[in-house]
Amino acid sequence: MLNGMSKIIYFGVAFLPNENAVAIRALSIAEMVKNISCEPVLIGMNNKVEENNFVKSEYEGVTIYEIHYPQTFSEKVRDGFNFFSVIKRIIEDIGILDIKAFLMQDYQYQSMKRIKKYCETNKIDFIPDIMDYFTFTIDKSLYKNIFKSIDTFLRMHFFYPGFKKKICISHTFKKFFKEKGVTVIPPVADKISLLSDQKYRKSENITLIFAGTPGKHFEKEKLDWVIRALSENNSKMELIILGVEEKMVLKNNPKLKKYMSKNIHFLGRVSHEKCMNMFLYGDFSLIIRKKNKLTNYGLSSKISEAFSFGIPVLATDVSDNQIYVKDGLNGFVCESNYEHVREMIRKVELLSTDKIKQMKEYTLSNNPLLIKNYVDDFSRLFKEE
């Protein structure tokens, strides 16, 4: 049985309250914790916090701790020594006897081992939240690629398999661990109310919307496929891009210039609130990713966010996308290559206004990624064995 108002800590590389995908996940986990009559405490990161220190605050009734976010090589080395002592001081500040469990998103192998041992010594459940399987990327230095690859290998093969309870973001992880002790909790969100921005008006044309950071050369999100497809299809569809500036995109990808048109709108970096409200002007949200280890194991939080606004999703068939996105109902899924993305976009442009309206209504009223749908699974993690 759960103790009344026991505290459950969630740690992640989260820029709280809502500046990255991990922060959004942390807030959704906090809602689940409340739903099982416990008190959530979130630990995130902030590069403005001094090393070996923490800052305590509150957001919508949830206690938040922020620690230093290491960025340089020397900071990362010092973090290896400082991290445990800072987390230990936070736990003591919370009250060690009041803590039911410590949930920890993917972090450095040695740091996770030390926190796990400390929790076991103090009879606190330690449960990892497994979200990423790192792979080499061209936007990182050779050192970072090698370090992260080794660290990921150690966690995936020597640390995580030993847990009787673990949270995983996708069913791909569940298969990797042969379903042993895995509870799949995808990115989830509740219905979100949006406010219209009077500076913009909804286009009469079908409007696609992308929010995020696609990577310097689109290694994270294949937005270049979409831009090229719109041009080669002679499409009248509009494309709203949030999170990156046109000048920077063209500087890093000059060959893309010939595909640009007046129907493509770069709005740059905007606040999280404005970013969410811009979904009012979209008909479909884009999650176009190339297949690799990172995209097959991870799962984009953009699906649950779009569904919570009643916006259907256009996605490629990576990870669990096909489980949640159903063709013609709440979006479309295609194979992860340029030609299939181009064909999907062509098909979408032929949809009638009534069909798109019907899809939006279905998406809002049949959302598989609501927080309430996963509370029971989450609750079972904390039942006495």
PDB file of all heavy atoms in Angstrom, residues 58-75:
ATOM      1  N   GLU A  58       9.095  26.797  -6.591  1.00  0.00           N
ATOM      2  CA  GLU A  58       7.813  26.094  -6.723  1.00  0.00           C
ATOM      3  C   GLU A  58       7.160  26.467  -8.046  1.00  0.00           C
ATOM      4  O   GLU A  58       7.260  27.604  -8.511  1.00  0.00           O
ATOM      5  CB  GLU A  58       6.884  26.467  -5.564  1.00  0.00           C
ATOM      6  CG  GLU A  58       5.634  25.604  -5.473  1.00  0.00           C
ATOM      7  CD  GLU A  58       4.798  25.911  -4.235  1.00  0.00           C
ATOM      8  OE1 GLU A  58       5.245  25.557  -3.126  1.00  0.00           O
ATOM      9  OE2 GLU A  58       3.730  26.528  -4.400  1.00  0.00           O
ATOM     10  N   TYR A  59       6.516  25.500  -8.683  1.00  0.00           N
ATOM     11  CA  TYR A  59       5.809  25.750  -9.931  1.00  0.00           C
ATOM     12  C   TYR A  59       4.475  25.014  -9.885  1.00  0.00           C
ATOM     13  O   TYR A  59       4.429  23.786  -9.787  1.00  0.00           O
ATOM     14  CB  TYR A  59       6.624  25.264 -11.137  1.00  0.00           C
ATOM     15  CG  TYR A  59       5.918  25.435 -12.465  1.00  0.00           C
ATOM     16  CD1 TYR A  59       5.800  26.694 -13.053  1.00  0.00           C
ATOM     17  CD2 TYR A  59       5.365  24.338 -13.119  1.00  0.00           C
ATOM     18  CE1 TYR A  59       5.148  26.854 -14.267  1.00  0.00           C
ATOM     19  CE2 TYR A  59       4.713  24.481 -14.333  1.00  0.00           C
ATOM     20  CZ  TYR A  59       4.602  25.748 -14.901  1.00  0.00           C
ATOM     21  OH  TYR A  59       3.953  25.902 -16.110  1.00  0.00           O
ATOM     22  N   GLU A  60       3.397  25.782  -9.924  1.00  0.00           N
ATOM     23  CA  GLU A  60       2.039  25.224  -9.893  1.00  0.00           C
ATOM     24  C   GLU A  60       1.881  24.203  -8.762  1.00  0.00           C
ATOM     25  O   GLU A  60       1.313  23.111  -8.953  1.00  0.00           O
ATOM     26  CB  GLU A  60       1.677  24.615 -11.248  1.00  0.00           C
ATOM     27  CG  GLU A  60       1.599  25.651 -12.361  1.00  0.00           C
ATOM     28  CD  GLU A  60       1.099  25.085 -13.673  1.00  0.00           C
ATOM     29  OE1 GLU A  60       0.966  23.840 -13.784  1.00  0.00           O
ATOM     30  OE2 GLU A  60       0.829  25.883 -14.587  1.00  0.00           O
ATOM     31  N   GLY A  61       2.397  24.569  -7.589  1.00  0.00           N
ATOM     32  CA  GLY A  61       2.238  23.729  -6.404  1.00  0.00           C
ATOM     33  C   GLY A  61       3.222  22.585  -6.285  1.00  0.00           C
ATOM     34  O   GLY A  61       3.154  21.805  -5.323  1.00  0.00           O
ATOM     35  N   VAL A  62       4.151  22.473  -7.239  1.00  0.00           N
ATOM     36  CA  VAL A  62       5.140  21.388  -7.212  1.00  0.00           C
ATOM     37  C   VAL A  62       6.494  21.958  -6.793  1.00  0.00           C
ATOM     38  O   VAL A  62       6.957  22.962  -7.355  1.00  0.00           O
ATOM     39  CB  VAL A  62       5.267  20.713  -8.591  1.00  0.00           C
ATOM     40  CG1 VAL A  62       6.364  19.641  -8.561  1.00  0.00           C
ATOM     41  CG2 VAL A  62       3.941  20.096  -9.014  1.00  0.00           C
ATOM     42  N   THR A  63       7.137  21.323  -5.817  1.00  0.00           N
ATOM     43  CA  THR A  63       8.468  21.751  -5.384  1.00  0.00           C
ATOM     44  C   THR A  63       9.497  21.387  -6.446  1.00  0.00           C
ATOM     45  O   THR A  63       9.529  20.253  -6.940  1.00  0.00           O
ATOM     46  CB  THR A  63       8.852  21.085  -4.050  1.00  0.00           C
ATOM     47  OG1 THR A  63       7.887  21.435  -3.058  1.00  0.00           O
ATOM     48  CG2 THR A  63      10.240  21.540  -3.596  1.00  0.00           C
ATOM     49  N   ILE A  64      10.330  22.365  -6.794  1.00  0.00           N
ATOM     50  CA  ILE A  64      11.346  22.178  -7.829  1.00  0.00           C
ATOM     51  C   ILE A  64      12.721  22.520  -7.270  1.00  0.00           C
ATOM     52  O   ILE A  64      12.894  23.540  -6.602  1.00  0.00           O
ATOM     53  CB  ILE A  64      11.045  23.075  -9.049  1.00  0.00           C
ATOM     54  CG1 ILE A  64       9.839  22.545  -9.831  1.00  0.00           C
ATOM     55  CG2 ILE A  64      12.264  23.180  -9.974  1.00  0.00           C
ATOM     56  CD1 ILE A  64       9.427  23.428 -10.985  1.00  0.00           C
ATOM     57  N   TYR A  65      13.678  21.656  -7.553  1.00  0.00           N
ATOM     58  CA  TYR A  65      15.085  21.937  -7.264  1.00  0.00           C
ATOM     59  C   TYR A  65      15.828  22.003  -8.597  1.00  0.00           C
ATOM     60  O   TYR A  65      15.588  21.169  -9.490  1.00  0.00           O
ATOM     61  CB  TYR A  65      15.704  20.835  -6.407  1.00  0.00           C
ATOM     62  CG  TYR A  65      15.198  20.777  -4.993  1.00  0.00           C
ATOM     63  CD1 TYR A  65      14.041  20.058  -4.674  1.00  0.00           C
ATOM     64  CD2 TYR A  65      15.882  21.408  -3.954  1.00  0.00           C
ATOM     65  CE1 TYR A  65      13.570  19.992  -3.381  1.00  0.00           C
ATOM     66  CE2 TYR A  65      15.427  21.342  -2.640  1.00  0.00           C
ATOM     67  CZ  TYR A  65      14.271  20.627  -2.364  1.00  0.00           C
ATOM     68  OH  TYR A  65      13.813  20.561  -1.073  1.00  0.00           O
ATOM     69  N   GLU A  66      16.722  22.974  -8.720  1.00  0.00           N
ATOM     70  CA  GLU A  66      17.548  23.077  -9.921  1.00  0.00           C
ATOM     71  C   GLU A  66      19.012  23.046  -9.527  1.00  0.00           C
ATOM     72  O   GLU A  66      19.413  23.700  -8.567  1.00  0.00           O
ATOM     73  CB  GLU A  66      17.242  24.368 -10.678  1.00  0.00           C
ATOM     74  CG  GLU A  66      15.846  24.389 -11.300  1.00  0.00           C
ATOM     75  CD  GLU A  66      15.530  25.731 -11.945  1.00  0.00           C
ATOM     76  OE1 GLU A  66      15.367  26.712 -11.197  1.00  0.00           O
ATOM     77  OE2 GLU A  66      15.461  25.780 -13.181  1.00  0.00           O
ATOM     78  N   ILE A  67      19.786  22.250 -10.264  1.00  0.00           N
ATOM     79  CA  ILE A  67      21.220  22.158 -10.023  1.00  0.00           C
ATOM     80  C   ILE A  67      21.966  22.646 -11.257  1.00  0.00           C
ATOM     81  O   ILE A  67      21.363  22.889 -12.305  1.00  0.00           O
ATOM     82  CB  ILE A  67      21.645  20.718  -9.654  1.00  0.00           C
ATOM     83  CG1 ILE A  67      21.418  19.762 -10.841  1.00  0.00           C
ATOM     84  CG2 ILE A  67      20.884  20.231  -8.434  1.00  0.00           C
ATOM     85  CD1 ILE A  67      21.928  18.349 -10.593  1.00  0.00           C
ATOM     86  N   HIS A  68      23.270  22.779 -11.135  1.00  0.00           N
ATOM     87  CA  HIS A  68      24.091  23.298 -12.235  1.00  0.00           C
ATOM     88  C   HIS A  68      24.059  22.356 -13.433  1.00  0.00           C
ATOM     89  O   HIS A  68      24.154  21.138 -13.282  1.00  0.00           O
ATOM     90  CB  HIS A  68      25.533  23.485 -11.772  1.00  0.00           C
ATOM     91  CG  HIS A  68      26.452  23.986 -12.844  1.00  0.00           C
ATOM     92  ND1 HIS A  68      26.410  25.282 -13.310  1.00  0.00           N
ATOM     93  CD2 HIS A  68      27.429  23.363 -13.552  1.00  0.00           C
ATOM     94  CE1 HIS A  68      27.326  25.443 -14.247  1.00  0.00           C
ATOM     95  NE2 HIS A  68      27.963  24.291 -14.414  1.00  0.00           N
ATOM     96  N   TYR A  69      23.946  22.951 -14.626  1.00  0.00           N
ATOM     97  CA  TYR A  69      24.000  22.174 -15.866  1.00  0.00           C
ATOM     98  C   TYR A  69      25.410  22.282 -16.445  1.00  0.00           C
ATOM     99  O   TYR A  69      25.808  23.336 -16.938  1.00  0.00           O
ATOM    100  CB  TYR A  69      22.975  22.690 -16.865  1.00  0.00           C
ATOM    101  CG  TYR A  69      23.051  22.009 -18.220  1.00  0.00           C
ATOM    102  CD1 TYR A  69      22.853  20.639 -18.323  1.00  0.00           C
ATOM    103  CD2 TYR A  69      23.320  22.738 -19.383  1.00  0.00           C
ATOM    104  CE1 TYR A  69      22.923  20.008 -19.553  1.00  0.00           C
ATOM    105  CE2 TYR A  69      23.384  22.112 -20.615  1.00  0.00           C
ATOM    106  CZ  TYR A  69      23.192  20.734 -20.695  1.00  0.00           C
ATOM    107  OH  TYR A  69      23.270  20.111 -21.914  1.00  0.00           O
ATOM    108  N   PRO A  70      26.194  21.202 -16.396  1.00  0.00           N
ATOM    109  CA  PRO A  70      27.578  21.263 -16.892  1.00  0.00           C
ATOM    110  C   PRO A  70      27.613  21.295 -18.422  1.00  0.00           C
ATOM    111  O   PRO A  70      26.939  20.501 -19.078  1.00  0.00           O
ATOM    112  CB  PRO A  70      28.192  19.968 -16.355  1.00  0.00           C
ATOM    113  CG  PRO A  70      27.046  19.025 -16.226  1.00  0.00           C
ATOM    114  CD  PRO A  70      25.850  19.865 -15.873  1.00  0.00           C
ATOM    115  N   GLN A  71      28.405  22.212 -18.966  1.00  0.00           N
ATOM    116  CA  GLN A  71      28.477  22.345 -20.417  1.00  0.00           C
ATOM    117  C   GLN A  71      29.879  22.115 -20.961  1.00  0.00           C
ATOM    118  O   GLN A  71      30.058  21.407 -21.948  1.00  0.00           O
ATOM    119  CB  GLN A  71      27.973  23.731 -20.832  1.00  0.00           C
ATOM    120  CG  GLN A  71      26.503  23.962 -20.445  1.00  0.00           C
ATOM    121  CD  GLN A  71      26.023  25.345 -20.803  1.00  0.00           C
ATOM    122  OE1 GLN A  71      25.763  25.646 -21.961  1.00  0.00           O
ATOM    123  NE2 GLN A  71      25.919  26.212 -19.809  1.00  0.00           N
ATOM    124  N   THR A  72      30.893  22.699 -20.340  1.00  0.00           N
ATOM    125  CA  THR A  72      32.259  22.522 -20.817  1.00  0.00           C
ATOM    126  C   THR A  72      32.824  21.192 -20.332  1.00  0.00           C
ATOM    127  O   THR A  72      32.279  20.557 -19.421  1.00  0.00           O
ATOM    128  CB  THR A  72      33.162  23.667 -20.318  1.00  0.00           C
ATOM    129  OG1 THR A  72      33.272  23.576 -18.894  1.00  0.00           O
ATOM    130  CG2 THR A  72      32.569  25.028 -20.691  1.00  0.00           C
ATOM    131  N   PHE A  73      33.938  20.798 -20.939  1.00  0.00           N
ATOM    132  CA  PHE A  73      34.582  19.540 -20.551  1.00  0.00           C
ATOM    133  C   PHE A  73      34.972  19.561 -19.077  1.00  0.00           C
ATOM    134  O   PHE A  73      34.726  18.600 -18.336  1.00  0.00           O
ATOM    135  CB  PHE A  73      35.823  19.298 -21.422  1.00  0.00           C
ATOM    136  CG  PHE A  73      36.635  18.120 -20.993  1.00  0.00           C
ATOM    137  CD1 PHE A  73      36.198  16.819 -21.232  1.00  0.00           C
ATOM    138  CD2 PHE A  73      37.845  18.288 -20.325  1.00  0.00           C
ATOM    139  CE1 PHE A  73      36.936  15.725 -20.819  1.00  0.00           C
ATOM    140  CE2 PHE A  73      38.596  17.201 -19.904  1.00  0.00           C
ATOM    141  CZ  PHE A  73      38.139  15.910 -20.164  1.00  0.00           C
ATOM    142  N   SER A  74      35.575  20.664 -18.633  1.00  0.00           N
ATOM    143  CA  SER A  74      36.013  20.744 -17.234  1.00  0.00           C
ATOM    144  C   SER A  74      34.829  20.705 -16.273  1.00  0.00           C
ATOM    145  O   SER A  74      34.902  20.089 -15.208  1.00  0.00           O
ATOM    146  CB  SER A  74      36.826  22.027 -17.005  1.00  0.00           C
ATOM    147  OG  SER A  74      36.067  23.181 -17.316  1.00  0.00           O
ATOM    148  N   GLU A  75      33.700  21.334 -16.665  1.00  0.00           N
ATOM    149  CA  GLU A  75      32.508  21.302 -15.823  1.00  0.00           C
ATOM    150  C   GLU A  75      31.955  19.886 -15.718  1.00  0.00           C
ATOM    151  O   GLU A  75      31.515  19.458 -14.653  1.00  0.00           O
ATOM    152  CB  GLU A  75      31.438  22.247 -16.376  1.00  0.00           C
ATOM    153  CG  GLU A  75      31.714  23.722 -16.132  1.00  0.00           C
ATOM    154  CD  GLU A  75      30.594  24.610 -16.648  1.00  0.00           C
ATOM    155  OE1 GLU A  75      29.716  24.098 -17.370  1.00  0.00           O
ATOM    156  OE2 GLU A  75      30.605  25.805 -16.327  1.00  0.00           O
TER     157      GLU A  75
END
